[in-house]
Each structure stands twice: as C-alpha cells, then as structure tokens.
Amino acid sequence: MKCWTRRQFGCLAGAACLTALAPRASKAQAKSRVVVIGGGIGGATVAKYLAASAGTIEVTLVEPKSRYTTCFFSSLYLAGIRSFESLTHSYEALAQNYGIKIIHDYAAAIDPAGKTVALKSGDTLSYDRLVLAPGIAFKFGTVEGYDQAATEIMPHAWNGGPQTELLRRQLESMEDGGLFLIAAPPNPFRCPPGPYERASLVAYYFKQFKPKSKILILDAKDSFFEQDLFQDAWTRHYPGMIEWLPGQFTGGVQSVDVKDLSVKTEAETFKPAVVNFIPPQMAGELAQQAGLAGQSGWCPIEPTTFESKLQPGIHIVGDAINSGEMPKSAFLANSQAKICAFAVAAALTGSDRSAPHLFNTCFTFLAADDAVSDAIALAPNGDAIKISEILISEVGEDAELRRQVVQAANGWYTAFTHDVFG
Ligand SMILES: Cc1cc2nc3c(=O)[nH]c(=O)nc-3n(C[C@H](O)[C@H](O)[C@H](O)COP(=O)(O)OP(=O)(O)OC[C@H]3O[C@@H](n4cnc5c(N)ncnc54)[C@H](O)[C@@H]3O)c2cc1C
C-alpha cells in the first residue's frame, strides 16, 4: 500500500498545498520577486499558490485583460445554456486575499540575462524567477486568406471573450436552413474534444431555434478524441444535422475568402452562413519571441519543475508547453501550475518539493442533459510526463448517469474557477 506523509495528503486534498509551500527562510530576509506573465488558468494559479507561501515571495501578475473569460464552457454560452457573465472572472480576490500585485499590461520582451521584463507601457519589472503562462497563438498564414483580420469575419472563438460573443451573434443572426462550418485544427491543439463539443452544442441550439440548419466539420485530422461518444450522440440527438469530413477525404481546408465567406478544399468550395475557423496553434507569441519554444512551436520543459529546457530560471505552464501525452486543458494547466509553484518556492526559499502527480478531468457536453467525462492520471517518466491511468465514459450509458455528469460538470466549474481566481 502506498503511504502518504501528512504534507502529501494535505496537497492531494487541495487547499492545504498553500501551507505546504511555506518556506524555511526567516522573515528578516528580503522578499524574492516572482513575475508571472499571463493571468489565465495556468498563470493565475501559479500566482495564487506562490503568493500564499507565508509572504516571503512577492508575486506580480502581468495580464492585459481586466477580467478573464473562460473558453471552457463557452460552447454552452453559444448554445444559450449559460450566460456570458457566468464565464467571466475578476482578479480582485487574487489582489485582496493574497496580496498579488496585478498589472494590467502586456509583457513585450524578456531579458533573461538581466532578469527583467519590459512592458508595453514602457515600464520594466525585475524578477528572481519568471513564470510564463501565455496560452496559445495561432499559426496565421498556414491557410491562405486566414489572418488576424479574418478572425473578425470568421471567428475562431478559441480564446474566451469578444471572439465568443462574435460567434454567438453570427449564430443568432443566421437564417434557418443555413450551413455552420467548423474548420477543426491539426494536433496538437487546445482542448482535444472542443471542436466536436462545439458542434454538438450548436446543434442543440439549432434543434430548438433553426432546425433546418446543418453543421459541417472540415477536419485536418482523420480521427478525433472521444469520436465514438460524439458520433453516437450526434445520431441520437441530432440525426442528419452534423456531417464530419476527415482530412484524408478533403485534404483539409486549403484557403478561405472572407469577402464572399467561402471555404475551399482541394475538390470543393463551400459557402456557409457562419464559419468557425479554428487555426493550427503554437505557444503564445511572447514564448516564441523569447526563444522559449522549440521547432515544434511549443515550449520544452523539465517535467518535475516546469522550468524551460531552453532558458534556465524561466518556468512555463499551461497550453504553451510541449505537453506530450498531456491534453491541453484548463484542468492540467492548474495542476501543472501547482507543481510549478512548489518548484519555484523550493528554488527561492528552500521549501520542500513533493513528487509531482498530475490529474486531468474533462467534462464534455453532448446536449444540455447529456455529458461525458474522462479522467487521466499522469506522472513524470524519464524526460516526459506520461499517462499512467485513463478512464473515459462509454457509449450506451443510461440517461440518468449522463444527467449526473452534467451536474458534476457544473459543480466542477464553480469549484475550479474558485480555486484559480477565488
Ligand atoms: C471551446 C473550448 C472548450 C474548452 N473546454 C475545456 C474543458 O471543458 N476543460 C478543460 O480543462 N479545459 C478546456 N479548455 C481548454 C482551456 O481553456 C485551456 O487549456 C486553458 O485556458 C489553458 O490555460 P493557459 O493558462 O495556458 O492559457 P489561457 O487561459 O489562455 O491564459 C493565457 C493568458 O495569458 C495572457 N497573455 C498572453 N500573452 C501575454 C503577454 N505577452 N503579456 C501578458 N499576458 C499575456 C492572455 O491574455 C491570457 O489571459 C477548452 C478550450 C476551448 C477553446
């Protein structure tokens, strides 16, 4: 039987991790300075868990937005099941309860030798350790015609916020009988079940308000995560409404034209009413610019500390990392952030660092009362983080069980966002 020390047990229970970060340094010592760039799920969690470490670390969080809107559960907003407000979170509790200095600015450049961060406003921040959680950037230019400007006509809605609202407005104003086209990206990308959950929930909306409308998914891939669960749900809930075309049949999207709202594959041109173009992805821009991303476009990290393999003293968490077997999810960004906070505190103050364990639980909605889940346990294994156990819902589960998963998902959202921002 595996035995846990009281410290480890507390960490598994969650909140007690905060006290486990308490350092051995005396109060008279000068505070160490940690700058965290990016106040999304990964960055806000690192900042909170570090700031709670008995006050010997001064934490500054740099994030341009004054409020953060989650992209998880955003397809529920598109379906009219959740309000936009319910997805939006402020930074007030992080500042007030944990003393984190929040700077609403954009980090423009990093100087690893001088240990400084230049902000867009012109200010400079000095740090002892830097943590980066910039999320994703889009590989514009890989599909002809799809650039930053095109996102205003064909939204990706793959970051929460104005893009999600734009897509909702487009869905509301389209005529019944129109085509909604989703271009799904190649691996790896943020939230593997995301494009297919979006198709399911938009179909849920169409079924009520625009029942003659259709959904076409033009995929860059030949298969996708939880495919059997999705295809089963599409047959049960939305017969004849959703068509999925794998990359091997179409060659994927070759080009788009925002002027006449057309999408071209090798053999066909489509003229949808609404296009949700989800581009290929890579680590956030600052990571690229600072030389923290490798050739893959993602940032290689040490699996037990989340320290960059390319730049010592800088840690990276969340979707920006080269995640290997880890899906790019909010749950994992939060899990990685706690391990990273331990590692940074240990490096700065000599506090203990426990062996990392990572978990991912993802809830996926197929309809308002039908959701599935997957649970994954992961641990460092040599140079990478590997899956040790995986449990996924199955086709044919009874409706009551699926309703219970919906309830669990809603409970998870409240508890999880409180853990990050509360
Ligand atoms: C449709 C959809 C559904 C999803 N559903 C789920 C789900 O059910 N469960 C789940 O676990 N995950 C889900 N995800 C994935 C989840 O949202 C991401 O994995 C998570 O947000 C990653 O966190 P992050 O901190 O890496 O990035 P983000 O949360 O995107 O945060 C990055 C932050 O960095 C800031 N930033 C970027 N550059 C700079 C800079 N230079 N200076 C300062 N700040 C900067 C940005 O403003 C942003 O706030 C979903 C995603 C999508 C798109």
Side-chain angles (χ1 to χ4, degrees):
M1 191 182 91
K2 170 119 176 109
C3 296
W4 300 99
T5 62
R6 282 176 60 207
R7 177 191 298 277
Q8 285 167 325
F9 179 77
C11 285
L12 287 175
C17 277
L18 297 174
T19 50
L21 280 167
R24 293 200 187 109
S26 82
K27 278 190 180 158
Q29 264 180 316
K31 285 187 173 185
S32 306
R33 293 155 308 169
V34 176
V35 172
V36 180
I37 300 175
I41 302 306
T45 308
V46 174
K48 171 175 165 176
Y49 276 72
L50 266 176
S53 58
T56 56
I57 298 177
E58 186 185 282
V59 182
T60 303
L61 178 63
V62 183
E63 163 62 47
K65 297 189 290 272
S66 58
R67 308 218 309 152
Y68 177 87
T69 306
T70 62
C71 32
F72 47 99
F73 284 39
S74 64
S75 295
L76 290 167
Y77 161 71
L78 296 177
I81 298 170
R82 254 184 187 260
S83 70
F84 189 76
E85 192 53 30
S86 77
L87 305 176
T88 303
H89 305 272
S90 90
Y91 293 98
E92 274 164 33
L94 292 182
Q96 280 167 17
N97 302 344
Y98 299 93
I100 297 167
K101 188 173 175 196
I102 316 268
I103 298 181
H104 290 299
D105 203 335
Y106 192 82
I110 298 167
D111 173 3
K115 294 195 167 182
T116 58
V117 176
L119 303 181
K120 200 175 169 192
S121 62
D123 290 346
T124 301
L125 303 173
S126 299
Y127 63 81
D128 297 304
R129 286 260 158 174
L130 180 66
V131 181
L132 226 74
I136 52 167
F138 301 106
K139 289 183 175 171
F140 293 119
T142 48
V143 168
E144 195 190 321
Y146 198 80
D147 54 15
Q148 178 70 51
T151 66
E152 295 304 318
I153 312 288
M154 298 180 176
H156 51 73
W158 223 239
N159 279 323
Q163 278 277 303
T164 328
E165 289 178 296
L166 173 61
L167 186 56
R168 168 74 192 177
R169 283 197 300 277
Q170 291 185 347
L171 288 170
E172 277 171 339
S173 56
M174 77 177 252
E175 307 256 316
D176 187 13
L179 177 68
F180 174 56
L181 188 149
I182 300 178
N187 291 322
F189 64 102
R190 162 175 284 181
C191 191
Y196 317 98
E197 178 185 54
R198 177 161 290 169
S200 311
L201 290 174
V202 170
Y204 173 81
Y205 166 73
F206 284 165
K207 197 173 161 181
Q208 297 170 80
F209 300 106
K210 307 190 180 189
K212 289 187 277 190
S213 304
K214 301 269 185 225
I215 298 171
L216 173 64
I217 307 169
L218 287 181
D219 213 322
K221 307 175 289 300
D222 295 333
S223 61
F224 58 90
F225 186 63
E226 295 178 334
Q227 186 165 342
D228 56 342
L229 291 168
F230 281 110
Q231 288 180 327
D232 167 66
W234 295 345
T235 311
R236 285 187 294 112
H237 295 300
Y238 321 109
M241 192 180 260
I242 302 176
E243 185 181 10
W244 171 72
L245 293 180
Q248 62 186 348
F249 285 1
T250 64
V253 176
Q254 304 294 308
S255 65
V256 301
D257 187 338
V258 290
K259 285 199 200 84
D260 69 351
L261 211 69
S262 65
V263 175
K264 249 189 185 170
T265 61
E266 267 167 26
E268 251 181 292
T269 300
F270 299 91
K271 294 272 287 173
V274 176
V275 180
N276 176 202
F277 191 96
I278 308 167
Q281 294 158 29
M282 59 185 176
E285 269 164 36
L286 186 64
Q288 309 288 337
Q289 188 194 312
L292 296 164
Q295 285 204 325
S296 66
W298 306 101
C299 304
I301 46 92
E302 294 293 339
T304 55
T305 60
F306 289 84
E307 188 165 359
S308 167
K309 283 187 175 170
L310 303 179
Q311 195 59 255
I314 300 182
H315 299 249
I316 308 154
V317 296
D319 287 355
I321 66 169
N322 193 350
S323 44
E325 292 188 359
M326 285 183 286
K328 294 187 184 296
S329 74
F331 199 110
L332 270 169
N334 171 269
S335 213
Q336 294 159 7
K338 290 172 186 170
I339 294 171
C340 177
F342 271 93
V344 170
L348 292 173
T349 68
S351 61
D352 287 350
R353 188 154 67 79
S354 332
H357 295 269
L358 289 116
F359 302 96
N360 184 62
T361 304
C362 195
F363 297 99
T364 302
F365 285 80
L366 305 166
D369 61 352
D370 185 351
V372 291
S373 66
D374 65 89
I376 305 176
L378 306 108
N381 184 334
D383 206 27
I385 292 171
K386 301 243 167 167
I387 293 176
S388 54
E389 276 181 74
I390 184 160
L391 196 71
I392 305 186
S393 298
E394 287 173 8
V395 169
E397 288 166 344
D398 74 57
E400 181 48 32
L401 178 60
R402 295 293 181 84
R403 276 192 286 276
Q404 285 170 13
V405 179
V406 167
Q407 278 180 8
N410 288 326
W412 170 79
Y413 186 92
T414 306
F416 182 77
T417 50
H418 181 77
D419 184 43
V420 178
F421 297 106

